[in-house]
Amino acid sequence: MLTNDELMTLLEISQTINSTLDLEEILDHALRKAADVVEAEASSIWLVDDETGELYVASATGVREKEVRRLRLKPGKGIVGWVVKTGKPFVTSDARSEPVHARDIAEMLDYEGRQILCVPMFSKGKVVGAIEVINKSQDRPFTEKDAYHLSIFANLTGIAIENAKLYAMLQRENRELRSELGKNPTFGDIIYRSEKMAEVIEITKRVASVNSTVLIRGESGTGKELIARAIHQASPRRDGPFIPVNCGALPETLLESELFGHEKGAFTGAIARKLGRFELADGGTIFLDEIGDMPPALQVKLLRVLQDKQFERVGGTKTIKVDVRVIAATNQNLEKLMAEGKFREDLYYRLNVITIFIPPLRERPEDIPILAEHFLRKYCLETKKKIKGFAPETMDILMSYHWPGNVRELENAIEHAVVLAKGDIITPEDLPFNLRGVEPEIKLMSLEEAVREFKKRHITRVLHETGGNRTKAAEILKIQRTYLSRLIKELGIKA
Ligand SMILES: Nc1ncnc2c1ncn2[C@@H]1O[C@H](COP(=O)(O)OP(=O)(O)OP(=O)(O)O)[C@@H](O)[C@H]1O
Ligand SMILES: [Mg+2]
């Protein structure tokens, strides 16, 4: 029934439809082809506005193209309206005599459509619009064959519209997911949501660009090394080395040679010259971890490096100059060590130029859910397990535990849980024994403070469950949404 040329055109249209997801582009291109096939003077694609039911022009060809593109029709109005309403094609060779003809529009456009062919466009069995072609070029009426061609074309276009809508929806969803992710900011590998950590990150970013010595303080496992690495990575020294030294792990003499290096024969066993960590860190950053454990004799040497950027290797006489940025960290109370005479005051003030204090995890419970989920993903990848998330009771425990070992302890707990989990959800039984059913260590605080803390934890938890949706959270909490918003502000919850 179709000639080769016609088949080719249809093929071409269907290829356009399949090759692009930009709806406008599809419609424009396809409509031009279709108008060619049926030899129409003008043509237009009409779509139903999902919200109002009105018809609007998605694409048009012909001398009045511009004006036509601005048209809107009330539901059921005109030939197009009739076609959309009934889902049937319409053909006439004398539009003026048709009762459904929208004469006012023809007059407004100053364009007389005599022969009109209009076919409905379906998507998933529903009429989503119509295609209208006007005036056969040689003043002949539209034929059966024209109607047939146009119907095939309308079907293809319907599919294209469906695809494009789906694509737009996916893109929107993608954007939403991305902005959802954006709510969990990261800096380097640091994951956080709390206001307290946001402040830490803010300082971290600012100190990265300068060369000052930085002292990072915080309990064990709060992420001191992570912050140190982030500073290095964000600094102009990022292409230089990052050299960590644990000052608490070695006895004095070994630590000295580790830091400053030694010459051959400097001591028994020094069979060759060895470069120290300070030399290795030249052009980069040295990270002096557990600085509070540094023996006093070495503290003097360190002070000199900090002041003059120079030192001698153990057993050597040559002065070595280095360009090193120093970041130190400790979980000890340096002030107490200083009072006990174990930490030099002058070194303390040298190091204390910029101090970053990382709060313990229990003081920033808002970080617990995202950290827990981050570690869950990490260990699922490692163990190739498929675990969807945490049972609400599990999250309750994670939120109320006091985390003496901070983020490191949380990470270990999640690793433990992932390894043990039998189902696709982490239950309280999967958690390490010390977390389960153990009453959190009692903190000596007023009832008012305790209630406030509980409220903060509970609301944070519920908000996390609802993906941040306050209306849903308010419903669960059985409070007004406006009251919830006020509480969020008052309790300093990062939502
Ligand atoms: N905000 C965070 N986001 C992601 N991972 C974190 C975060 N904080 C800590 N971690 C992880 O927790 C573990 C402990 O962090 P890190 O070693 O930096 O702590 P630390 O303060 O140096 O501890 P310690 O005093 O015991 O040396 C690491 O595996 C680190 O990757
Ligand atoms: Mg550390």
Side-chain angles (χ1 to χ4, degrees):
M1 190 156 165
L2 294 175
T3 66
N4 263 355
D5 274 0
E6 289 161 349
L7 270 173
M8 283 308 287
T9 309
L10 278 173
L11 187 65
E12 206 182 304
I13 292 172
S14 101
Q15 271 166 353
T16 317
I17 287 170
N18 287 317
S19 67
T20 165
L21 285 166
D22 178 354
L23 190 55
E24 248 174 67
E25 200 183 313
I26 295 171
L27 296 183
D28 277 351
H29 181 85
L31 184 62
R32 263 166 235 288
K33 279 276 162 217
D36 273 359
V37 173
V38 298
E39 299 168 73
E41 206 175 82
S43 63
S44 50
I45 295 184
W46 296 73
L47 294 180
V48 181
D49 183 327
D50 284 340
E51 270 164 37
T52 61
E54 283 182 356
L55 290 154
Y56 66 95
V57 178
S59 181
T61 68
V63 283
R64 290 281 176 264
E65 177 184 330
K66 269 211 197 82
E67 293 86 341
V68 172
R69 277 176 190 265
R70 281 195 286 269
L71 289 180
R72 276 189 94 87
L73 282 176
K74 293 263 173 263
K77 189 151 195 281
I79 291 173
V80 181
W82 185 89
V83 168
V84 167
K85 201 169 76 188
T86 59
K88 292 193 182 115
F90 186 101
V91 63
T92 174
S93 53
D94 183 13
R96 277 166 301 184
S97 68
E98 301 292 344
V100 292
H101 180 50
R103 212 166 315 271
D104 44 343
I105 289 179
E107 270 165 28
M108 186 181 81
L109 290 176
D110 186 24
Y111 181 82
E112 198 54 72
R114 293 168 303 277
Q115 303 127 21
I116 292 180
L117 167 61
C118 186
V119 299
M121 219 158 50
F122 291 92
S123 163
K124 288 196 178 153
K126 223 181 95 203
V127 185
V128 292
I131 297 174
E132 187 180 65
V133 288
I134 295 174
N135 291 354
K136 197 107 175 144
S137 44
Q138 276 112 33
D139 220 10
R140 287 182 275 115
F142 287 112
T143 61
E144 276 275 311
K145 201 169 176 183
D146 290 330
Y148 177 69
H149 281 166
L150 205 61
S151 297
I152 296 178
F153 165 71
N155 278 338
L156 290 173
T157 313
I159 295 167
I161 291 168
E162 193 54 40
N163 285 344
K165 275 190 185 160
L166 199 64
Y167 181 69
M169 193 187 80
L170 287 175
Q171 266 191 327
R172 199 168 50 241
E173 236 168 53
N174 225 333
R175 260 199 310 277
E176 277 166 15
L177 279 175
R178 232 178 269 145
S179 78
E180 185 67 29
L181 280 176
K183 275 196 223 145
N184 299 333
T186 55
F187 178 61
D189 297 323
I190 307 160
I191 289 166
Y192 61 99
R193 179 173 250 178
S194 63
E195 199 53 58
K196 284 186 173 165
M197 274 312 276
E199 282 165 20
V200 168
I201 300 302
E202 191 45 45
I203 304 171
T204 305
K205 281 183 184 159
R206 266 188 283 147
V207 302
S209 56
V210 292
N211 245 335
S212 325
T213 301
V214 178
L215 177 63
I216 305 172
R217 302 183 63 168
E219 287 179 15
S220 172
T222 44
K224 295 185 292 296
E225 181 155 354
L226 210 58
I227 292 278
R229 285 181 190 275
I231 293 176
H232 173 74
Q233 279 308 322
S235 79
R237 295 172 174 269
R238 71 179 68 89
D239 296 325
F242 176 90
I243 308 285
V245 189
N246 187 335
C247 302
L250 295 172
E252 184 170 331
T253 47
L254 277 182
L255 180 61
E256 182 175 13
S257 106
E258 187 69 22
L259 284 172
F260 305 111
H262 61 242
E263 296 295 344
K264 185 175 172 182
F267 47 83
T268 336
I271 46 167
R273 170 193 282 174
K274 184 188 165 199
L275 298 186
R277 297 278 168 146
F278 268 102
E279 270 176 88
L280 293 173
D282 199 15
T285 306
I286 193 165
F287 175 55
L288 303 174
D289 206 358
E290 320 290 359
I291 190 89
D293 293 334
M294 189 176 258
L298 286 184
Q299 291 179 22
V300 186
K301 275 200 136 187
L302 175 61
L303 188 62
R304 190 172 153 228
V305 186
L306 289 179
Q307 276 165 350
D308 309 329
K309 304 275 174 212
Q310 56 188 40
F311 57 89
E312 286 88 37
R313 295 192 191 110
V314 177
T317 50
K318 198 176 113 205
T319 299
I320 293 159
K321 274 193 86 73
V322 284
D323 166 31
V324 170
R325 179 188 200 169
V326 177
I327 301 179
T330 184
N331 55 22
Q332 301 208 58
N333 183 336
L334 289 186
E335 292 74 15
K336 189 163 160 265
L337 291 179
M338 211 160 55
E340 291 166 356
K342 291 180 188 150
F343 202 80
R344 289 184 64 105
E345 213 169 313
D346 43 11
L347 178 61
Y348 174 80
Y349 289 113
R350 250 294 159 201
L351 287 174
N352 210 3
V353 186
I354 299 166
T355 298
I356 296 177
F357 185 83
I358 310 181
L361 189 56
R362 67 185 158 281
E363 283 179 18
R364 44 181 169 110
E366 306 94 302
D367 288 343
I368 294 174
I370 55 160
L371 280 167
E373 255 151 42
H374 166 73
F375 293 131
L376 178 67
R377 277 195 298 274
K378 175 174 166 185
Y379 289 105
C380 278
L381 268 179
E382 236 167 66
T383 58
K384 299 204 167 57
K385 280 194 160 183
K386 284 204 174 65
I387 298 172
K388 285 195 300 230
F390 300 90
E393 310 85 73
T394 313
M395 196 49 97
D396 282 340
I397 295 173
L398 297 182
M399 289 296 287
S400 59
Y401 184 61
H402 62 296
W403 300 112
N406 293 292
V407 184
R408 180 179 294 112
E409 189 182 7
L410 174 62
E411 175 164 4
N412 292 343
I414 305 298
E415 181 180 7
H416 177 108
V418 169
V419 171
L420 287 196
K422 285 191 212 75
D424 61 354
I425 200 147
I426 306 270
T427 62
E429 294 72 52
D430 303 327
L431 293 174
F433 190 70
N434 61 321
L435 265 81
R436 272 185 278 154
V438 176
E439 276 298 309
E441 197 177 80
I442 183 86
K443 270 201 264 169
L444 296 177
M445 57 168 103
S446 69
L447 187 61
E448 196 185 327
E449 274 178 296
V451 169
R452 190 183 153 86
E453 193 163 293
F454 173 78
K455 275 190 188 166
K456 186 170 177 180
R457 272 174 209 281
H458 189 63
I459 294 173
T460 304
R461 230 335 245 108
V462 171
L463 276 171
H464 181 75
E465 245 355 87
T466 64
N469 185 322
R470 292 190 186 187
T471 309
K472 271 195 219 145
E475 258 172 50
I476 295 171
L477 294 165
K478 295 208 166 56
I479 55 175
Q480 294 286 330
R481 193 185 176 284
T482 45
Y483 180 50
L484 175 61
S485 293
R486 209 168 75 221
L487 281 177
I488 288 172
K489 222 169 139 199
E490 272 172 22
L491 297 168
I493 294 168
K494 191 99 193 299

